[in-house]
Amino acid sequence: MIKKMYYSYWLLLPGLLIFSIFFIYPNLTGFLYAFTNMDESFKYTRFVGFDNFKSLFQEDDQVIAFKNTFIFAIITTVFKIVLGLLLALLANAKLRTTLFFRSMLFFPVLLSTLAVSLVFSALLHPSRGLLNVFLETLHLGMLTQSWLTDPQIVIFSVSFVEIWKWTGLSMILFLAALQTIPQELKESAMVEGVNSWQMFRHITLPLIMPVVNTNVILSVIGGLKVFDIVYALTGGGPGNSSQVINTIVFKNFAAGRNGEATAANVMLFLIVLVIVLLVNKVLNRKVEG
């Protein structure tokens, strides 16, 4: 009888063991490493307390990285949600070209980040890039910019590439939610004389709020944890003008500053955790309301 009682727990043991070895143990040791001054051989040298965390807010390049990470996360989240919803509303329309339209918008999501970065590096080249050449052809030379080499705008240029690549994912999630809304509900609203804006505000939006919640959280997490698109496009440059938290982590590990790199990772984890919990709480109130 006792054996039968604990039989199911024995079945969980292999999975729990694997999870502990490859997730729980590395994360716990990572928190420990963040409080040590550790060299490139990953050996403890000495306990330094919160010194690694203090340095994150004292060195200029790391302060810039935190600032850029928040700017990037806010810009990309807002545009991916707004554009994704607008495109989903268009893709949900019953048109002959709807299937092609959906496929075309989702296609960038399937592309390799490295491939996208290489293409946009060529498109946004300050002298030979297609965008600047196109603007010059239209006699709009005053609009040409050094998109990836101007410290003032580089983080916005990288944000644009991220938005172009991932808006299709937001669109697909919104589209799936839109298609769950009963057609009878829409028809009843039309009979009552409800216009398109009123239908969207009072019927469509409240019904898809759970998906809005999901999309916002995914976009926020992706924005805060960004690395590949930034590193492939600019490497964090020019100077430190497009550094984000994960490029600083990579830079510190490469320089053998493992304690500081781990501290930055821990700080990123805490930032993501707190922001996601706050966003989820706010959006859940709207869903329940």
Side-chain angles (χ1 to χ4, degrees), residues 86-92 95 97-106 171:
L86 291 174
L87 292 173
L89 291 170
L90 289 173
N92 196 43
L95 302 173
T97 58
T98 298
L99 182 59
F100 173 76
F101 183 65
R102 294 175 186 175
S103 302
M104 180 183 66
L105 292 173
F106 188 71
M171 180 205 69

Side-chain angles (χ1 to χ4, degrees), residues 125-145:
H125 191 277
S127 59
R128 302 187 301 274
L130 183 61
L131 179 57
N132 280 349
V133 170
F134 178 71
L135 291 173
E136 291 283 0
T137 303
L138 296 178
H139 303 288
L140 297 173
M142 74 291 294
L143 298 179
T144 60
Q145 301 287 338

Side-chain angles (χ1 to χ4, degrees), residues 35-253:
F35 296 94
T36 63
N37 182 10
M38 192 169 44
D39 60 13
E40 60 274 5
S41 64
F42 285 87
K43 293 181 180 178
Y44 293 101
T45 53
R46 61 189 175 90
F47 182 79
V48 295
F50 287 92
D51 288 354
N52 290 330
F53 293 92
K54 291 177 183 177
S55 70
L56 297 177
F57 303 100
Q58 292 174 345
E59 298 180 15
D60 290 342
D61 59 337
Q62 307 203 59
V63 173
I64 292 171
F66 276 87
K67 177 185 173 182
N68 283 341
T69 300
F70 285 112
I71 291 173
F72 182 91
I74 292 169
I75 292 173
T76 55
T77 297
V78 170
F79 278 92
K80 282 192 282 188
I81 298 304
V82 173
L83 292 177
L85 182 55
L86 291 174
L87 292 173
L89 291 170
L90 289 173
N92 196 43
K94 295 181 179 179
L95 302 173
R96 290 184 179 181
T97 58
T98 298
L99 182 59
F100 173 76
F101 183 65
R102 294 175 186 175
S103 302
M104 180 183 66
L105 292 173
F106 188 71
F107 180 69
V109 179
L110 305 177
L111 297 175
S112 162
T113 301
L114 180 59
V116 170
S117 300
L118 289 173
V119 170
F120 274 93
S121 293
L123 290 175
L124 301 177
H125 191 277
S127 59
R128 302 187 301 274
L130 183 61
L131 179 57
N132 280 349
V133 170
F134 178 71
L135 291 173
E136 291 283 0
T137 303
L138 296 178
H139 303 288
L140 297 173
M142 74 291 294
L143 298 179
T144 60
Q145 301 287 338
S146 299
W147 304 103
L148 297 178
T149 55
D150 185 345
Q152 301 299 320
I153 65 171
V154 62
I155 193 65
F156 301 103
S157 300
V158 176
S159 299
F160 167 77
V161 179
E162 172 80 0
I163 292 164
W164 180 87
K165 176 166 170 49
W166 291 107
T167 296
L169 180 61
S170 295
M171 180 205 69
I172 288 296
L173 293 175
F174 281 131
L175 182 60
L178 289 172
Q179 293 185 343
T180 63
I181 299 175
Q183 189 64 30
E184 297 80 7
L185 191 60
K186 296 180 182 179
E187 293 172 354
S188 299
M190 292 175 66
V191 170
E192 294 293 331
V194 175
N195 60 39
S196 299
W197 168 245
Q198 291 172 328
M199 184 178 295
F200 172 77
R201 182 180 176 184
H202 298 291
I203 298 176
T204 303
L205 190 58
L207 289 175
I208 67 170
M209 272 306 296
V211 178
V212 173
N213 188 354
T214 301
N215 250 335
V216 170
I217 289 175
L218 289 175
S219 297
V220 168
I221 292 174
L224 292 172
K225 294 176 64 179
V226 64
F227 170 74
D228 50 1
I229 198 89
V230 175
Y231 191 76
L233 276 172
T234 66
N240 293 311
S241 55
S242 64
Q243 294 278 11
V244 291
I245 297 176
N246 271 329
T247 59
I248 287 294
V249 172
F250 180 82
K251 179 181 174 182
N252 284 342
F253 272 126

Side-chain angles (χ1 to χ4, degrees), residues 1-7:
M1 187 70 177
I2 295 177
K3 289 183 178 180
K4 289 183 178 181
M5 185 183 302
Y6 292 101
Y7 181 72

